[in-house]
Amino acid sequence: MAKSTPFPSGFQFLAEHFDRVQQENLLDIIRDVLGSAPLYRPEMPRTGKPFSVRMSNCGALGWVSDKDGYRYQPTHPVTGNPWPPIPEILLSLWQELSPDAALPEACLINFYNEDARMGLHQDRDEETFDAPVISVSLGDTAVFRIGGVERKSPTRSMKLQSGDVVVLGGEARLAFHGIDRLVPNTSTLMRQGGRVNLTLRRVTKP
Ligand SMILES: O=C(O)CCC(=O)C(=O)O
Ligand SMILES: [Mn+2]
């Protein structure tokens, strides 16, 4: 837990990569996506316990969780429709930050209200870990926790604010990470508060 715990190599933090106008634009685009692929509440494998975070996706594939487990699938689990495409602004972000990787196939959309959190986990449901996971935060500040590639590795926490971008590449691609909590009333981007997190993922081997 020491403050001096280093970030894993391949971890990048780009503070306020998106300025306020870009954040508003991106949020409008995500609202459109959610108009056709509404947020729903996933359930934990086996137990069926509901997540505190609501989710949706865009892209050819979307990450879902239910009693049968975690997986990527081409359709929304509630509507049965294909996920909407990944917006151009997010594809450009990927190409800017990860020009050598094959394009992302999934963008998971997480919505946190002030009680939501996400336990420490690895992103490892993809067939390949060659490409990074790129994350964009919008709305209220979150306390993000990141450790190493083993669950027992020491962790450190940092705040993610609206417009911040995080890249989990290299060794950090399989680093344990999670969201401890939101810091309510820290952003005026969304009138009702809350936080949207977008994570771009390459799922299949190119
Ligand atoms: O909300 C975040 O910043 C992290 C989200 C995350 O780790 C995930 O969706 O796998
Ligand atoms: Mn994750």
Side-chain angles (χ1 to χ4, degrees), residues 7-153:
F7 287 114
S9 77
F11 172 88
Q12 267 179 272
F13 170 62
L14 306 167
E16 228 186 311
H17 186 76
F18 291 109
D19 68 20
R20 173 71 186 214
V21 171
Q22 291 171 317
Q23 293 168 36
E24 286 169 359
N25 178 35
L26 182 52
L27 184 63
D28 280 347
I29 291 169
I30 294 303
R31 283 202 176 104
D32 270 0
V33 167
L34 297 176
S36 55
L39 290 168
Y40 72 99
R41 196 175 296 280
E43 294 174 344
M44 292 297 289
R46 292 184 303 279
T47 62
K49 187 172 176 265
F51 281 43
S52 59
V53 174
R54 287 188 295 151
M55 294 184 174
S56 186
N57 289 271
C58 48
L61 293 168
W63 187 87
V64 299
S65 175
D66 61 21
K67 281 187 176 170
D68 298 331
Y70 304 136
R71 63 186 175 280
Y72 283 92
Q73 65 177 43
T75 54
H76 190 292
V78 178
T79 67
N81 293 329
W83 304 106
I86 298 177
E88 202 55 51
I89 181 175
L90 294 174
L91 294 175
S92 308
L93 175 73
W94 179 276
Q95 281 170 309
E96 179 188 345
L97 298 180
S98 185
D100 300 329
L103 287 175
E105 295 162 300
C107 175
L108 175 61
I109 304 168
N110 292 313
F111 180 79
Y112 298 76
N113 64 19
E114 65 178 72
D115 303 318
R117 58 201 65 230
M118 189 175 287
L120 208 63
H121 67 278
Q122 292 170 297
D123 292 348
R124 57 175 316 145
D125 299 316
E126 300 75 28
E127 282 172 17
T128 170
F129 306 127
D130 291 345
V133 168
I134 297 182
S135 146
V136 182
S137 294
L138 294 172
D140 284 334
T141 299
V143 180
F144 175 73
R145 183 165 294 282
I146 180 149
V149 296
E150 289 181 63
R151 185 173 285 279
K152 64 176 195 296
S153 314

